[in-house]
Amino acid sequence: NAGVMQNPRHLVRRRGQEARLRCSPMKGHSHVYWYRQLPEEGLKFMVYLQKENIIDESGMPKERFSAEFPKEGPSILRIQQVVRGDSAAYFCASSLERYGAGANVLTFGAGSRLTVL
Amino acid sequence: AQKITQTQPGMFVQEKEAVTLDCTYDTSDPSYGLFWYKQPSSGEMIFLIYQGSYDQQNATEGRYSLNFQKARKSANLVISASQLGDSAMYFCAMREARGRDDKIIFGKGTRLHILP
């Protein structure tokens, strides 16, 4: 019973390149959340998705960042034309239901650490 | 306005002592959930404990308990009989769900150091 799987665990990109981060939620979970963590800071919400739908992207920068959660396959966070300030740990989390008894806990993946040179 | 406040950036505690990590929150929603997560140096986020706003009793999970004081909007984490392996960052978080909006908001964290 695998947990939330994120890959790659570490990614190095040069400025201007694209970064793609993948997240496979726990089996049976249809709600996916992406968070960003800068060094020595807490997690900042980026986007909340359900299968094929973006529900809330209020935390995601308007430019260069996009996220998807297709009907088949993992959720992908895509960062185009990366800059040094994008260097951070990106965490994916999933939950069973949107909100309700027994469904409130987000299970996190191990994170993907992006370094932009 | 900050919704989750953790006022202790760092704490040093002697092994086997109890630890209280402070957390206050701000919401006007009557229905919400409060969480604590642990992040060791390896970086993963580990769920520790959950408290629902309508729960009558304080949540407990092994050595972890949540001191929930609703009127004061505080949700402090208590770790009894601390161990060296408890050294980590600890994040308090709150989940609100209004309409389509649903996210967990995290505090800035408290770094706990357990001394041998």
Side-chain angles (χ1 to χ4, degrees), chain A residues 33 35 37 40-43 45 48 54-56 58 91 95 97-99 103-106 108 110 113, chain B residues 31-33 35 37 39 42-43 45 47 50 91 95 97-104 106-108 111:
Chain A
Y33 306 77
Y35 285 80
Q37 184 180 32
E40 300 301 315
E41 293 193 12
L43 276 70
F45 168 79
Y48 160 44
I54 296 174
I55 307 301
D56 181 355
S58 59
F91 286 91
S95 73
E97 297 174 15
R98 178 173 171 271
Y99 193 73
N104 294 286
V105 175
L106 293 191
F108 280 84
R113 278 148 185 84
Chain B
S31 180
Y32 53 89
F35 305 77
Y37 282 85
Q39 187 177 42
S42 50
M45 293 289 288
F47 166 74
Y50 166 78
F91 293 100
R95 183 173 190 172
R98 305 176 187 174
R100 283 165 62 86
D101 187 20
D102 180 11
K103 57 175 74 77
I104 287 189
F106 285 79
K108 291 186 181 296
R111 185 172 294 281

Side-chain angles (χ1 to χ4, degrees), chain A:
Chain A
N1 187 15
V4 178
M5 304 301 292
Q6 288 189 249
N7 67 82
R9 291 293 309 275
H10 299 275
L11 182 64
V12 179
R13 285 287 179 265
R14 297 190 181 277
R15 280 179 296 169
Q17 291 184 319
E18 179 180 285
R20 279 187 182 232
L21 309 177
R22 295 174 193 79
C23 168
S24 296
M26 281 188 72
K27 188 175 181 180
H29 286 193
S30 59
H31 301 258
V32 166
Y33 306 77
W34 284 93
Y35 285 80
R36 176 163 64 176
Q37 184 180 32
L38 295 172
E40 300 301 315
E41 293 193 12
L43 276 70
K44 293 285 196 291
F45 168 79
M46 297 182 75
V47 62
Y48 160 44
L49 310 104
Q50 293 179 27
K51 284 285 187 182
E52 299 184 276
N53 287 303
I54 296 174
I55 307 301
D56 181 355
E57 55 183 346
S58 59
M60 201 143 74
K62 295 284 186 279
E63 297 178 353
R64 301 189 297 107
F65 285 73
S66 62
E68 63 177 13
F69 188 17
K71 187 176 180 181
E72 302 290 339
S75 175
I76 295 176
L77 180 68
R78 183 181 176 206
I79 312 171
Q80 294 177 289
Q81 299 174 337
V82 296
V83 300
R84 288 221 174 101
D86 297 333
S87 295
Y90 292 84
F91 286 91
C92 170
S94 71
S95 73
L96 182 61
E97 297 174 15
R98 178 173 171 271
Y99 193 73
N104 294 286
V105 175
L106 293 191
T107 302
F108 280 84
S112 292
R113 278 148 185 84
L114 172 65
T115 302
V116 180
L117 302 177

Side-chain angles (χ1 to χ4, degrees), chain B residues 3-78:
Chain B
K3 290 219 168 187
I4 297 286
T5 303
Q6 294 181 252
T7 57
Q8 307 150 309
M11 286 185 71
F12 289 82
V13 173
Q14 207 67 40
E15 189 181 9
K16 297 180 185 162
E17 289 184 353
V19 182
T20 298
L21 304 180
D22 296 339
C23 174
T24 57
Y25 61 91
D26 180 27
T27 181
S28 56
D29 197 329
S31 180
Y32 53 89
L34 297 158
F35 305 77
W36 279 91
Y37 282 85
K38 172 184 178 181
Q39 187 177 42
S41 56
S42 50
E44 70 268 33
M45 293 289 288
I46 302 168
F47 166 74
L48 295 179
I49 197 166
Y50 166 78
Q51 179 87 43
S53 59
Y54 293 119
D55 293 344
Q56 294 295 316
Q57 295 189 329
N58 287 346
T60 60
E61 289 285 349
R63 293 187 300 114
Y64 304 108
S65 60
L66 200 151
N67 185 1
F68 182 43
Q69 299 193 29
K70 197 169 182 177
R72 299 171 76 175
K73 292 189 176 177
S74 79
N76 298 342
L77 176 71
V78 180

